[in-house]
Amino acid sequence: MTIPASARSPLALRRRRTELGLIVMALVIIGSAYTLASLGRSASIPADIVPFLLIVLGLFVAAHLANRRLAPHADPLLVPLAALLNGIGYVEIARLNQELAAQQAAWTAVGIAGYLLTLGYFRRVRSLERVRYTFGVAGLALLMLPLVPGIGVSIHGARIWTRIGPVSFQPGEFAKLALAVFIAGYVVGNREVLSMATFRLGPIAMPEPRHLAPLLAAWGVSLIVMIFERDLGSALLFFVLFLVVLWIGTQRVSYLVVGGSLFGAGAVGTWSMFDHVQLRVSMWLNPWIDPLDRGYQIIQAQYAIAWGGAGGTGLGLGIPGRIPFQETDFIFAVIAEELGLFGAAAVLMAYVLMAGSGFRVATRARDPFAKLLAVGLTTLLAVQSFIIMGGVTRLLPLTGVTLPFVSYGGSSLIANWVLVALLVRVSDDAEGAGAGSGDEPTTVLAVR
Amino acid sequence: MPEQLLTVLKICLLILLYLFFLRVLRAVWAEVQEPVAADSGGSLRARTPAGPTAPQSPRKRHKRGAIRRLVVVEPAAAAGTAHLLASEMTIGRAPGCTVVVEDQFISSVHTRVFQREDTWMVEDLGSTNGTYLNRRKVTGPTVIHKGDRVQVGNVVMEVR
């Protein structure tokens, strides 16, 4: 393999240098956090610090080298930020539960492998646009998989798991990526008709229903499925994804207005219909009405965050084991306890910077499909982290989704690394010398 | 392990964390500062050799002919985008073209527009889908007049 000549352009060289520098720095942070957590817990330097550092170095440098070869012009911030979050998450998981940590390490390796494969397989954004309908169908199929008797498994009230043989995973995590590709492709392909108003619904102009129908169908099905699976967080996530991509793709604010009112109606409707939704809302408003049972988790999270204060108790010095789901949904509270306001704010900042980079990728992309895909993927990442951090800190009613890259969980980790790979691909396409230069043959147009 | 030492180490870790973000912000700042070719995010971009174009002020020079601009009519999304005529310009998908058009029906270097004394000509450069002048295929250098419509791929531009 040779490095393409365009990889030596000043922009590519500078960006990859920045990326390497940030990865090395993230590595230093992860290494010191890991050591510190061990010092705090058992007053000794971890025995496996050298192999630990070598493995982390190997994984992230592999991603970096892949970028040098496969996406030399891509945004330099996405991979280091994801690596930092992944590392901080691992350190916390290792400090809480050694057994889960070993698995999380394996998932991280699979996640990076997924990153490399995605980057290697999809060399151009256009190749993704061609398979948008396949992705749409696959996304819906994945979503429904947990409802299939025999392989669907209900864990903690949510039927979002699938077990096939020894492998169990959450298909919804991958469905969200597939549906993001589908909706971006669909909106781009039908942009003109979707932004054209042909009939009016009260004061709001709406496009022709038959153009809107496939979108509404996909949207409705995913929402209904997730309500049946009792996966409220993902339902909210999908709703926002569809709305944002439609709004940005058509530049019509009426979608936001209509969508917002639909959301309001839907929220009230599900609230009055389902007990578990009512429970979530009342535990959000006042967890103290049932502090030992249903309000327990949220109250313990509040205590943990408060106990952390500004600087935190120090890694390994918090009180572990008091919050149910502390390795997954509630890991943000553990970080806030042990690293305090400053540490929690740093995690928040990492997400803000990732979202910023993602939207920057979208604004720099020239191809409308690439633009909308970047918007969709970034929205997924940003909204998902917002939903769960808001839930843990009681800004929003709690809906269980994972904190991207940080929470324990194989499906989530792999899906998010693939998400970053797709963003990196869009970014490289937008900046690269090959962008629109005819690497791809011109499509032959029927002569009129 | 003394508690104070752990606290100091923890503070060091937090400082390190924020230094990381400082570096990230510096990288962002360096990129935002660099002069970038005007890119409003549209699918059509115009570049003249002299630098970024100012499509709004076409009146200053180009007094030689009545023709001054190519104005996009179709697709509707880019309608109204004006490209100043240069005495020698190319239209295509390649980044080196004077007018870069993102359209899969357009070849890398699709069409050439040039000036011969007082007349302007358009010439197809062996493109896959051809160049059309007023819906007729252009076979050799052809004179264009005000109000003519030049079509490349899906893009129709009016000579003004």
Side-chain angles (χ1 to χ4, degrees):
Chain A
M1 254 207 310
T2 52
I3 297 176
S6 64
R8 290 179 218 285
S9 80
L11 175 79
L13 286 177
R14 197 182 57 234
R15 286 192 150 185
R16 298 284 70 83
R17 223 174 18 238
T18 308
E19 184 179 78
L20 185 61
L22 287 173
I23 284 181
V24 168
M25 201 160 166
L27 202 72
V28 173
I29 294 174
I30 297 167
S32 10
Y34 190 65
T35 315
L36 210 53
S38 173
L39 282 178
R41 223 155 51 99
S42 58
S44 62
I45 287 177
D48 58 349
I49 182 72
V50 174
F52 171 78
L53 280 177
L54 285 178
I55 290 171
V56 178
L57 180 78
L59 286 175
F60 296 148
V61 167
H64 169 70
L65 289 178
N67 282 356
R68 278 197 186 245
R69 277 194 195 284
L70 300 169
H73 296 86
D75 185 281
L77 306 180
L78 291 166
V79 170
L81 285 168
L84 178 74
L85 287 169
N86 198 164
I88 291 177
Y90 176 81
V91 168
E92 284 296 357
I93 294 164
R95 173 251 176 290
L96 293 168
N97 187 331
Q98 290 289 338
E99 204 176 307
L100 287 185
Q103 291 176 35
Q104 180 79 345
W107 292 131
T108 306
V110 180
I112 300 276
Y115 177 88
L116 302 181
L117 285 176
T118 312
L119 213 54
Y121 186 72
F122 296 107
R123 297 294 180 92
R124 309 277 304 178
V125 180
R126 278 194 193 137
S127 48
L128 269 167
E129 192 175 3
R130 290 195 199 105
V131 293
R132 60 185 184 270
Y133 287 104
T134 320
F135 268 50
V137 173
L140 287 181
L142 279 173
L143 265 185
M144 285 184 225
L145 219 49
L147 292 177
V148 178
I151 55 170
V153 188
S154 196
I155 297 179
H156 304 303
R159 199 178 167 93
I160 53 174
W161 286 86
T162 300
R163 185 169 293 151
I164 300 170
V167 189
S168 63
F169 64 107
Q170 289 183 348
E173 293 285 346
F174 301 97
K176 65 182 188 184
L177 298 182
L179 286 173
V181 172
F182 164 72
I183 187 193
Y186 186 81
V187 170
V188 165
N190 300 277
R191 203 161 28 151
E192 269 96 32
V193 287
L194 282 174
S195 51
M196 218 180 320
T198 53
F199 88 107
R200 304 188 76 83
L201 199 79
I204 296 149
M206 291 292 290
E208 190 124 359
R210 88 188 142 95
H211 298 304
L212 213 51
L215 217 51
L216 287 178
W219 194 349
V221 169
S222 36
L223 289 187
I224 290 167
V225 166
M226 279 177 284
I227 288 168
F228 271 109
E229 292 171 359
R230 294 191 161 205
D231 188 6
L232 295 174
S234 302
L236 179 60
L237 191 59
F238 273 71
F239 194 88
V240 176
L241 166 73
F242 273 65
L243 214 57
V244 167
V245 175
L246 255 183
W247 168 47
I248 292 180
T250 60
Q251 302 181 4
R252 290 187 65 88
V253 186
S254 61
Y255 280 114
L256 277 190
V257 177
V258 173
S261 16
L262 273 179
F263 175 74
V268 172
T270 44
W271 180 77
S272 56
M273 274 192 302
F274 297 104
D275 288 350
H276 66 280
V277 181
Q278 281 175 23
L279 184 73
R280 293 288 174 89
V281 174
S282 48
M283 285 310 131
W284 166 54
L285 294 173
N286 185 7
W288 291 102
I289 49 180
D290 191 1
L292 294 178
D293 184 19
R294 286 165 299 178
Y296 181 76
Q297 188 182 28
I298 192 91
I299 288 172
Q300 294 306 317
Q302 306 293 295
Y303 276 145
I305 294 169
W307 184 237
T313 59
L315 282 168
L317 296 170
I319 306 164
R322 64 173 163 192
I323 315 169
F325 297 104
Q326 55 183 355
E327 298 93 357
T328 55
D329 295 2
F330 274 78
I331 196 153
F332 187 68
V334 178
I335 294 174
E337 179 180 10
E338 301 207 328
L339 287 173
L341 177 66
F342 289 110
V347 170
L348 196 60
M349 210 141 84
Y351 287 112
V352 170
L353 285 165
M354 277 190 98
S357 304
F359 285 128
R360 197 171 123 82
V361 167
T363 57
R364 307 263 303 174
R366 288 173 221 161
D367 177 53
F369 170 73
K371 218 179 243 307
L372 278 187
L373 180 64
V375 166
L377 295 172
T378 311
T379 305
L380 280 177
L381 186 72
V383 173
Q384 184 169 345
S385 39
F386 176 71
I387 290 175
I388 185 61
M389 286 190 287
V392 170
T393 54
R394 252 181 88 204
L395 177 72
L396 304 172
L398 179 69
T399 49
V401 289
T402 56
L403 188 58
F405 295 108
V406 179
S407 286
Y408 167 77
S411 312
S412 161
L413 196 54
I414 298 166
N416 281 308
W417 273 111
V418 170
L419 187 152
V420 168
L422 293 176
L423 272 180
V424 162
R425 171 51 68 227
V426 172
S427 176
D428 181 56
D429 250 26
E431 311 282 348
S437 70
D439 285 0
E440 296 242 320
T442 304
T443 311
V444 177
L445 182 69
V447 181
R448 275 164 270 185
Chain B
M1 181 126 302
E3 210 168 296
Q4 285 88 345
L5 182 60
L6 278 180
T7 309
V8 170
L9 287 176
K10 179 190 76 189
I11 292 170
C12 291
L13 178 70
L14 285 173
I15 290 172
L16 209 58
L17 208 50
Y18 280 84
L19 283 177
F20 176 87
F21 290 118
L22 202 67
R23 267 191 86 164
V24 169
L25 289 177
R26 249 184 41 205
V28 175
W29 184 245
E31 289 214 350
V32 174
Q33 284 300 91
E34 90 191 38
V36 179
D39 186 350
S40 57
S43 55
L44 288 166
R45 308 206 308 154
R47 277 186 231 149
T48 57
T53 42
Q56 270 75 31
S57 57
R59 254 155 261 262
K60 289 248 165 115
R61 270 175 221 165
H62 293 276
K63 280 269 170 174
R64 278 163 274 178
I67 304 172
R68 296 192 189 93
R69 292 176 290 170
L70 281 174
V71 181
V72 176
V73 189
E74 277 178 46
T81 315
H83 301 291
L84 275 186
L85 286 173
S87 54
E88 174 72 56
M89 64 192 281
T90 48
I91 302 172
R93 232 165 48 182
C97 289
T98 327
V99 177
V100 181
V101 189
E102 281 294 315
D103 181 324
Q104 56 177 339
F105 298 114
I106 291 178
S107 298
S108 300
V109 185
H110 195 112
T111 302
R112 170 174 172 234
V113 179
F114 58 102
Q115 191 180 21
R116 282 288 169 275
E117 281 148 31
D118 277 355
T119 54
W120 288 88
M121 312 253 235
V122 63
E123 181 184 11
D124 187 69
L125 297 172
S127 66
T128 313
N129 291 312
T131 303
Y132 293 80
L133 180 62
N134 299 328
R135 301 189 139 255
R136 213 166 288 150
K137 194 161 188 171
V138 172
T139 46
T142 313
V143 179
I144 50 174
H145 305 280
K146 202 165 189 165
D148 282 352
R149 291 202 163 185
V150 180
Q151 178 172 8
V152 287
N154 283 323
V155 181
V156 180
M157 289 181 271
E158 190 176 298
V159 183
R160 285 191 194 158

